[in-house]
Structure formats: structure tokens, C-alpha cells
Amino acid sequence: MLDFEKQLKASGYIHRPLPLDHTHSYEKQQLDKEEIIQRRSIVSGGMIWQHQGRGKLKTNGTAVTLISDTRYDSWPEGAPDDGDYVNFGEVGAHLAINREDWTNFTQIKLSVTAECTNVINPNIVITLENDGAIKIPDIYNREGTHVINLEGQEKHVYVLDISNLPREEVTGIRIFSGANGSYMNLAGQLSYTISDLYLEENRQNTSAKGWQAPNREIVYSHIGYYPDFRKTAIINPEDFSENIFEVRRADDEQLVLEKAISRSETVNGSFGVLDFSELTEVGAYILQIGDTRTQSFMINNFSELSISSTWKSLNFIFCERCGCPVHGIHGTCHEDLTVEYKGTLVNFSGGWHDAGDLSQQLIQTAEVTASLFEAAEAARGNDLLSIRLLEEGEWGIDFILKTRLDAGDRITSAGITRWTDNRIGNMDDAVPRIHNSPYDNFLITGLLAKIIKALPKDHPLKAKLLQVVREDYNYAMAGFEKTGFKHEPIFWEHTYSTSKSTFLATIAWTSALMYQLFSEDNYQKEALQRFEQLLLCQEKEGLVLADGRLLKGMFYRDETCKVFQHFNHQAREHLYAQAFEEMMTAFPAHEKHEAWLQAARAYGEYLDYLDTFTAPYPMFASGIYQKDEWQDKDSFYKQHLLVSDEAEESYQKQLEQGIEVGNGLYIKRFPVWFSFRGNNAILLSMGKSAAVIGRLTNNQALLDMGHQQLQWMVGKNPFGQSMVYGEGHNYPQQYSVSSGEITGEMPVGMQTFGEEDQPYWPQFNNATYKEVWVGVAGKWLSLAAELLKYEEGKRAK
């Protein structure tokens, strides 16, 4: 912790990036542990690298060098004329392979040397091609592709675990890199030499699929445990002959608990569970079984457990700033993102880049902004952290206000994956989109209203934002009166899949917040009307399950109660819980207050039910599905982007991999999904709901479930890996192709393979599952803030 405090101070408390710690990374452990049984060269006599795309190749024996300029004055072949969401092309080398069976090999090893000039994040991309029973790449071009963010320009050895990929008929390897601009448009060149390309069999290859813990490892929460909540760790019982586990103090090895390992038999397998919930004393500990030990972890209050991850989340968000130079990553960027509006040009740089690419989404920035202010309010006991969170939040507010046009018009998004030259008027400019969406306006108004409540009383933005939310609420209402719930969602916008029930939750939540700010009857009337309509979308009577119990409390997409509300990428589950919270806060004496509380309890019971299907792991199951939901085509194709022709058939196959709990009713542990995969935003949004409802209904178990979603992301998952780079240990490289690895980065989340319903977490780091996403960091901060509120309330009693 002392080293981290030094790093924080050296960064100016996140005014330049925190350093990267590769010593605890997955890749470092991969190299340290390997036991090579056999190896052979991939490139043999007569095999020739074929040039693809831009630039040129140089070959020297079995080595190949990719050379390209960093930008061109034309778009690559096949790109859209307006350059939407493309870079300047790729330089690639393809090696044809004659249907070789690589099943007995588990990894590819290669050396890479870079001699790049003014390149932001030197990297290469590898795609393995297989033409066997399962094709690689898949129909969505996700499987089989991996980005290596290079560790400097000098020669390094890199390893890629292929043990979990189909590889019985390998037809080729493609290695390439994108020309996506250069630092401040200085003359730039890509140059990568790939050599020493080997196939190897490693005795220590890792499993990337399924529920069982890694071989002879103890899976536990790297971020620690809260004294009053459950404390468990997980093993594969087949790996251990011992029946006892120990808990020791980390500083002096003193034994503090010795206990039997319990056996848990579930639909997901057989597990050994180390339950040490009775241990509540604050301190650093180690778990041990025989000669297998964990690294140290803390039992402590949230205010202490969350400090490191909050700073690192903030670091990730800061490093994704758009329009602002970020030390060691990029200079001022994207000043040529402009759009015409009523005879003027409006600039769209600012906020934070959306993800591993460089896209910009107003809604995403607005939600992250609100999370920063929420975290700042919860962290007021730590002045440095709170002030820095406020500062970063103000950067977000600036973007929300600069993209606000007239009468509800907003600049909403831009698809971009290149560093532009900042010169307005030439070919590499990107043109943002302008929309007037009542839903977006209600949501942003609610986010700003929530921020106003969190601001210190003397904050200079408070009066300005009060004016803004009053105006924007009226614009949202005016648009809603014209279009109602039938507004046309805009493809690629982050609110594309919004259902009527989510819309109702948002209006009720926003209106209740506005009533708290202004105490005006029109806000009260709207809040009450929309909240009552929302409750018509909730299952009240209960569906009969196979075991005879009634399942209720969950929400449908609308009041017809035909299609359940699901989230499969974008996730706003928390808006249902927040609607309950703000309605009960705004109208504590309302005659229906007790009925609202009962409805909130029912929703909490549903979340509690979902928690049981991934035991002993803490991940929430994604929800309940009906077998014929896909037949509602309008709903189906709004929920899923970029689906193939097989999507409807695939939906049914994916459902059958779930757990049938009633007639035509299935629980899916992971969502039904297609091109867009990864469930961290979903889990954190559900965790937020659990924590909010837990506070409202005084249900500590729900609050515990909220905290457990954070634990899942940092170690307590079937792979024992941290999904927060630099937090805990065993964290892998992620798809951060534009800006490079960043301390605190978080990916979209764990995925499934094909139509299965079990975790799949390969080393391959393609989008979307391993793509870094600031939205996940925002949800992390919001959930952590919720737990801090609970702790503060507990202290105040």
C-alpha cells in the first residue's frame, strides 16, 4: 500500500497515468510457470508470408517485418465513403497452412521487435484460422483474434494460449496492425518484426471454459471481504486430498482459524468451499490448504477495501479522456469531430473515449459523470480522493453541456477508431450524430438532477445545473408528448434497446428527483403516474415453477407481460431499483408507500433467486427467459445488434443450455447474446439494484450480493483472474488497442463459447468481451458508492 501511495503522489493524484505493474499479470505468470514438453517452428521451408493491405513486408528467413505509414489520404478498400468507424487501413502478413492438426499443441510463442515512429500504442494482432468442425474466426469475427499490446519497442517474447480453440484443421495465421494515425499527426511509421514463431505444448496450459477452479488453486476475492458479510473461497475438490483449510495472519503466519472444507454439489459441478465467515477481525490474511497458499487479502470496511480500486478506476477513466492530452498516451485529440447545426459548426471532442476504440457516446459519458459524483459524495471522508473525483466529474459535465443544443437537440455519438489530425475540413474528420430523443433527454436530466443532489452546497455549478435540468425536463416532456413510447431508437446509440418499462422507470426516477429539487406539482404528478404504469410491468401474481414455488418481482419489457426485461450488453437494471428509491424518498407519506415497499421486496426476492444458479460463485444469473420470446420480432431485434441470419434459431439453442425451471421458462446464467458478449456491466448494474433494494428493505443479504459482484470481477471466478488491470493479481492484457494497457482498465466482461451457458475466458482478447469500457468503470464506482452509503448509514445508527 505504501508503494501505491507513492505512485499516486507521483501521478499528481491522477493527473498523469499510474504506472503499469506487469509483475502480477497473467502473461508474466504464464511465462514463469510454463513446462514445455514439445515445440516446433510454425514457418518451415517453402512457406511464404503473403502481404495484405497497406504498406509492405520484408522477410528474412522465417522472420517477417510489417511496415506501413500511420495514415493515408484515402480509406481502405470496402470502407464507407464517410469513413465511419474505420482507420486508415491495415498492413498484414498471411501464412497459409495446409490443414494441419495442432490439437497436441497448446500455445503459440513468438518474438516481436518494434521500430515505430510516433505510434500511439504499438501493437500487433494475430488471427488463427481453422476450417474444422468449428470455424475460426466465427461468423462475428470475434473468436481466434488477439491483440498484443507491446511492452516497449525492444525485442520481447509473447505467448498465446490456444489450448481452448478448435485447431484440428488449421489453414492459416494472419498477423497485422492498423494504421490509425499518429501522435499529434507527426509523421509516423509502423514497423514490427515477428520472429521465432513456434508451436509448443505446455504442461501448464490453463482452462478457459467451465466452472471448475484452476488446478490446485484457491479461488478467492483479491479485493478482500467485508467483516459482516459472507467470506468464502472455492477449490476443485478433486485436486486436494486434504479436508482441512487454514486461515493465517499475513504478517506473522499465526493460525487464526482451522476448519473443514465443505462439499457443494450444484448443477454446475462439485466444489470445495472454504467458509470463514465467522472471521470478522480487521486484518490481512492468507488461506492455506497443505502447501497451496493464496496471496494476502484484507478483511476490512468498504471505506478501506475500496480505496485502491476507486483510484485505479479513476485512473482508467482519466486516461480515456478525449480532447485532452494524456501524458504518455496521446496529445490533444479529435478536435475535428464537428457537425453542422443551424449554420454553425459544433465540436464534439471531450468527455471520455467509449472503449478500446475511440468512439464517443454522450449517454456513456453522462452515466460515467454521474457515477463520479456519486463516488465523490460517498468518499467525502477522504478529501483527496473526493476532490479528485469531483474534478473528473466536472470534465464530464463540461461535455454534457457543450453537446446540448436547442430545444432538446443533442450531439449524441460518433463512430471513430482512429487518431485524427485535428484539422477541420479534410478527409479524416468524423461527423457526429444529432438527435432529439425524449428518452435520452429524460435520462440525462435525471443524471444531472442526481449530480445536483450530490454536489457540495457551495459548488459553482449547482445554480447553472438547476437551470439546465428545468429546461431539459421540459424539452423531454415536449418530445414525449409527440412520440410517446413509440420513438424511433437510433441504431448504434447506447439507448437503442430501451424497453417501455425501462422508459417508465427513467421518467419516474427523473420526475421524483425533480420534485425533490423543486417541490412542484407537475413533477409529482408525472412521477406518480409513470411509476404506477411501471408497476403494471412487474410480475405480481407469480409464475408457477416446476418445484411448486411462485416466482415474482421481475419486470417485463412492457405491461403486456409477454417478454421479460433482459440486458445483454448495455445494462440499466439499476434504474428499476433507483425508481423505487427516489419515489419512496420523494413521497414518504404517500398512501401507496407500503405497497411500493412490498413491490421492492418482491424485486429483491427475484434477485436473490437469481443468485442461487451460479453457486458457489457470486455471479448473478442473467435472468428468466420464456421459450418463445424470439417470436416478438420487434423486441428481439431491438435487444440484439448485428445479429446473423441464424439468430432466431440460435436463441432457442442458447435457451436449451440454460436451466428449465418451469413450463417454457428458463434461467440463463449468461444472457442470450450474439456478436456483443461480456456481462460485467450487467452484473454491476444488478449489483447496484441489489444494494439499493437491500438498503431500502433492510436486507443485508442483498447488500452482500452487491459486494460479491465486485469480488467476481477481481479473482473470485472460475479462472482466478482479476478483470481489473493492476488490481489484485493474475490480470490479463485486454483489448485496449487504441490507448494501450491502462491501470484500472475493465473489460466488457466474461463471455460464453458459441451457444453454451458456462463461463468462457480465453487469453484471446478481442472485442467485445475483453474490450475495455469506461461504462464498466462507472458502474464499478456507482456500486462501490452504494456500499459505502450502507456503511455510513450503519455507523450513524
Side-chain angles (χ1 to χ4, degrees):
M1 193 65 183
L2 288 176
D3 287 343
F4 181 62
E5 289 175 357
K6 289 179 181 178
Q7 291 171 359
L8 264 181
K9 187 174 181 180
S11 75
Y13 295 96
I14 318 298
H15 289 94
R16 58 176 58 195
L18 288 171
L20 291 167
D21 179 4
H22 297 304
T23 60
H24 297 291
S25 71
Y26 169 88
E27 287 77 14
K28 179 67 165 60
Q29 294 185 52
Q30 182 186 42
L31 279 169
D32 288 348
K33 292 180 180 179
E34 69 176 11
E35 297 178 41
I36 305 304
I37 300 170
Q38 62 170 322
R39 72 183 324 215
R40 75 166 176 82
S41 177
I42 292 176
V43 187
S44 58
M47 300 178 74
I48 300 174
W49 288 101
Q50 298 293 326
H51 173 237
Q52 294 180 335
R54 303 281 202 183
K56 62 183 179 180
L57 301 185
K58 287 184 179 179
T59 56
N60 180 13
T62 59
V64 62
T65 302
L66 315 180
I67 301 172
S68 171
D69 292 338
T70 53
R71 63 171 291 135
Y72 293 88
D73 292 329
S74 62
W75 301 121
E77 184 177 351
D81 292 339
D82 62 358
D84 183 58
Y85 203 70
V86 295
N87 57 19
F88 300 104
E90 296 169 344
V91 54
H94 183 265
L95 187 69
I97 296 170
N98 188 23
R99 295 188 173 274
E100 293 181 1
D101 184 354
W102 288 4
T103 306
N104 291 330
F105 295 97
T106 63
Q107 67 186 35
I108 293 172
K109 185 175 288 180
L110 68 160
S111 297
V112 185
T113 307
E115 294 183 275
C116 298
T117 305
N118 297 321
V119 172
I120 299 173
N121 186 40
N123 66 82
I124 64 166
V125 187
I126 300 178
T127 295
L128 183 67
E129 299 168 353
N130 185 69
D131 194 31
I134 300 176
K135 312 295 183 186
I136 301 293
D138 64 341
I139 57 175
Y140 296 112
N141 203 31
R142 305 290 196 191
E143 287 296 327
T145 295
H146 178 72
V147 176
I148 299 175
N149 295 316
L150 303 181
E151 298 180 31
Q153 303 231 80
E154 64 276 9
K155 187 174 183 178
H156 277 284
V157 174
Y158 300 94
V159 175
L160 182 55
D161 189 333
I162 61 172
S163 60
N164 298 278
L165 275 184
R167 56 195 186 284
E168 81 281 21
E169 287 191 49
V170 177
T171 57
I173 287 182
R174 183 173 179 243
I175 301 178
F176 61 98
S177 190
N180 68 336
S182 60
Y183 188 90
M184 295 300 288
N185 202 39
L186 294 168
Q189 186 179 70
L190 310 175
S191 178
Y192 304 106
T193 298
I194 297 93
S195 60
D196 307 322
L197 191 60
Y198 290 101
L199 274 177
E200 296 180 333
E201 182 183 0
N202 178 8
R203 195 191 308 274
Q204 298 299 324
N205 63 288
T206 56
S207 173
K209 189 191 293 185
W211 294 99
Q212 278 300 350
N215 183 41
R216 285 201 64 83
E217 287 189 22
I218 301 172
V219 165
Y220 69 103
S221 168
H222 302 177
I223 58 169
Y225 300 85
Y226 184 65
D228 295 348
F229 288 178
R230 292 172 297 168
K231 303 173 197 71
T232 61
I234 303 159
I235 62 169
N236 183 346
E238 304 305 318
D239 291 341
F240 293 88
S241 59
E242 297 89 349
N243 298 315
I244 301 293
F245 75 93
E246 300 173 340
V247 185
R248 295 182 175 273
R249 293 193 184 280
D251 54 356
D252 60 8
E253 297 283 325
Q254 179 183 345
L255 179 67
V256 295
L257 181 67
E258 187 175 60
K259 194 175 177 183
I261 300 168
S262 62
R263 189 89 174 212
S264 176
E265 305 289 339
T266 77
V267 294
N268 303 316
S270 178
F271 304 91
V273 178
L274 289 56
D275 189 332
F276 52 105
S277 298
E278 62 266 46
L279 188 57
T280 60
E281 185 178 348
V282 169
Y285 298 92
I286 290 171
L287 296 170
Q288 184 165 347
I289 304 173
D291 59 359
T292 300
R293 296 160 58 94
T294 66
Q295 295 191 33
S296 66
F297 60 87
M298 294 296 298
I299 295 176
N300 212 331
N301 294 323
F302 292 127
S303 53
E304 295 298 323
L305 294 179
S306 64
I307 287 176
S308 172
S309 67
T310 299
W311 278 114
K312 290 170 185 175
S313 302
L314 175 61
N315 180 76
F316 171 42
I317 293 168
F318 165 72
C319 290
E320 289 285 1
R321 276 194 183 188
C322 175
C324 174
V326 180
H327 175 83
I329 298 180
H330 63 80
T332 303
C333 62
H334 298 121
E335 292 188 314
D336 47 0
L337 270 65
T338 60
V339 60
E340 284 192 42
Y341 183 75
K342 295 184 178 181
T344 65
L345 274 180
V346 188
N347 173 267
F348 192 58
S349 65
W352 303 282
H353 296 134
D354 176 76
D357 58 19
L358 299 169
S359 291
Q360 178 57 277
Q361 291 274 350
L362 170 61
I363 287 295
Q364 178 105 295
T365 281
E367 290 178 320
V368 171
T369 300
S371 295
L372 286 162
F373 279 98
E374 191 177 4
E377 182 183 32
R380 282 183 183 167
N382 184 330
D383 289 344
L384 273 174
L385 178 57
S386 182
I387 290 169
R388 185 60 188 86
L389 287 162
L390 280 173
E391 178 190 9
E392 197 64 24
E394 288 166 2
W395 175 260
I397 284 181
D398 183 75
F399 184 72
I400 296 170
L401 297 183
K402 76 178 285 189
T403 55
R404 178 178 178 263
L405 302 175
D406 300 338
D409 291 344
R410 294 182 186 275
I411 314 177
T412 56
S413 64
I416 186 166
T417 182
R418 60 184 178 271
W419 301 103
T420 57
D421 64 4
N422 291 329
R423 298 181 182 180
I424 298 171
N426 60 5
M427 60 84 65
D428 79 340
D429 296 356
V431 180
R433 308 170 183 100
I434 293 178
H435 296 301
N436 191 323
S437 163
Y439 179 76
D440 289 12
N441 285 331
F442 275 123
L443 179 57
I444 292 173
T445 300
L447 293 168
L448 290 176
K450 190 72 174 175
I451 288 169
I452 292 169
K453 287 188 65 180
L455 283 174
K457 290 181 180 180
D458 58 349
H459 197 285
L461 279 174
K462 200 155 194 170
K464 300 173 179 63
L465 292 181
L466 283 167
Q467 175 186 341
V468 167
V469 294
R470 188 186 287 275
E471 292 176 0
D472 286 0
Y473 185 92
N474 290 337
Y475 295 143
M477 188 58 66
F480 179 66
E481 288 171 354
K482 293 178 183 177
T483 62
F485 300 103
K486 298 296 182 183
H487 74 291
E488 283 301 315
I490 309 300
F491 195 77
W492 285 124
E493 298 293 340
H494 275 207
T495 54
Y496 180 79
S497 64
T498 300
S499 67
K500 183 176 180 180
S501 66
T502 308
F503 204 137
L504 286 165
T506 305
I507 300 178
W509 172 69
T510 298
S511 300
L513 284 165
M514 293 294 285
Y515 181 76
Q516 292 173 57
L517 293 178
F518 298 106
S519 301
E520 294 178 6
D521 291 345
N522 60 315
Y523 301 127
Q524 179 179 13
K525 179 181 177 182
E526 196 66 29
L528 293 171
Q529 178 185 355
R530 302 309 172 187
F531 192 64
E532 287 303 308
Q533 290 176 328
L534 170 64
L535 294 181
L536 296 176
C537 304
Q538 187 183 27
E539 177 59 48
K540 293 289 201 327
E541 301 302 320
L543 303 177
V544 180
L545 303 181
D547 61 5
R549 68 191 291 181
L550 292 177
L551 181 64
K552 58 185 179 180
M554 60 282 194
F555 286 91
Y556 294 88
R557 285 183 66 84
D558 60 32
E559 73 281 3
T560 65
C561 299
K562 293 180 179 178
V563 178
F564 293 114
Q565 175 63 56
H566 308 298
F567 295 94
N568 57 67
H569 183 60
Q570 294 291 331
R572 297 187 175 87
E573 180 83 38
H574 56 278
L575 285 171
Y576 295 98
Q578 288 181 313
F580 278 111
E581 179 181 33
E582 297 306 339
M583 289 296 295
M584 294 168 72
T585 300
F587 312 110
H590 193 274
E591 61 183 10
K592 293 187 177 180
H593 192 274
E594 183 59 31
W596 296 345
L597 186 60
Q598 291 303 319
R601 286 198 180 102
Y603 176 49
E605 289 168 4
Y606 170 64
L607 293 172
D608 182 53
Y609 178 69
L610 294 180
D611 185 61
T612 64
F613 289 93
T614 59
Y617 293 98
M619 183 191 89
F620 273 123
S622 72
I624 190 164
Y625 290 72
Q626 294 190 44
K627 190 171 185 178
D628 61 355
E629 285 183 20
W630 64 273
Q631 295 182 17
D632 187 329
K633 303 299 176 64
D634 180 62
S635 167
F636 185 79
Y637 288 102
K638 283 180 183 174
Q639 292 184 66
H640 303 287
L641 297 179
L642 298 179
V643 297
S644 70
D645 294 338
E646 298 106 337
E648 294 176 12
E649 180 183 357
S650 178
Y651 172 91
Q652 298 168 73
K653 290 180 179 178
Q654 288 189 52
L655 217 57
E656 290 169 359
Q657 294 294 310
I659 303 170
E660 189 170 11
V661 294
N663 185 22
L665 296 173
Y666 292 81
I667 291 292
K668 286 285 278 101
R669 286 154 288 197
F670 289 85
V672 170
W673 47 20
F674 303 97
S675 179
F676 288 81
R677 299 191 176 206
N679 70 342
N680 280 343
I682 301 163
L683 297 181
L684 294 175
S685 186
M686 294 174 78
K688 175 77 172 181
S689 277
V692 169
I693 299 299
R695 278 196 304 102
L696 286 178
T697 64
N698 195 29
N699 186 330
Q700 183 171 294
L702 285 173
L703 285 149
D704 186 2
M705 291 173 206
H707 187 232
Q708 294 268 340
Q709 306 316 300
L710 303 180
Q711 294 183 18
W712 165 270
M713 283 183 59
V714 189
K716 199 176 177 184
N717 55 63
F719 313 106
Q721 293 184 31
S722 171
M723 287 181 259
V724 182
Y725 201 92
E727 182 73 354
H729 56 90
N730 201 22
Y731 35 82
Q733 277 202 351
Q734 300 177 25
Y735 185 83
S736 186
V737 65
S738 294
S739 299
E741 235 63 59
I742 298 169
T743 294
E745 68 188 17
M746 303 181 192
V748 173
M750 208 164 283
Q751 63 162 336
T752 56
F753 185 84
E755 287 152 346
E756 297 174 354
D757 192 30
Q758 59 179 331
Y760 177 51
W761 193 238
Q763 184 184 0
F764 282 72
N765 64 8
N766 200 6
T768 56
Y769 57 100
K770 275 195 178 176
E771 183 172 12
V772 300
W773 199 12
V774 292
V776 175
K779 286 180 170 61
W780 176 284
L781 290 175
S782 182
L783 175 51
E786 198 63 46
L787 296 168
L788 285 168
K789 287 180 201 173
Y790 161 74
E791 182 173 281
E792 182 63 29
K794 186 179 174 185
R795 272 199 298 262
K797 289 181 181 179

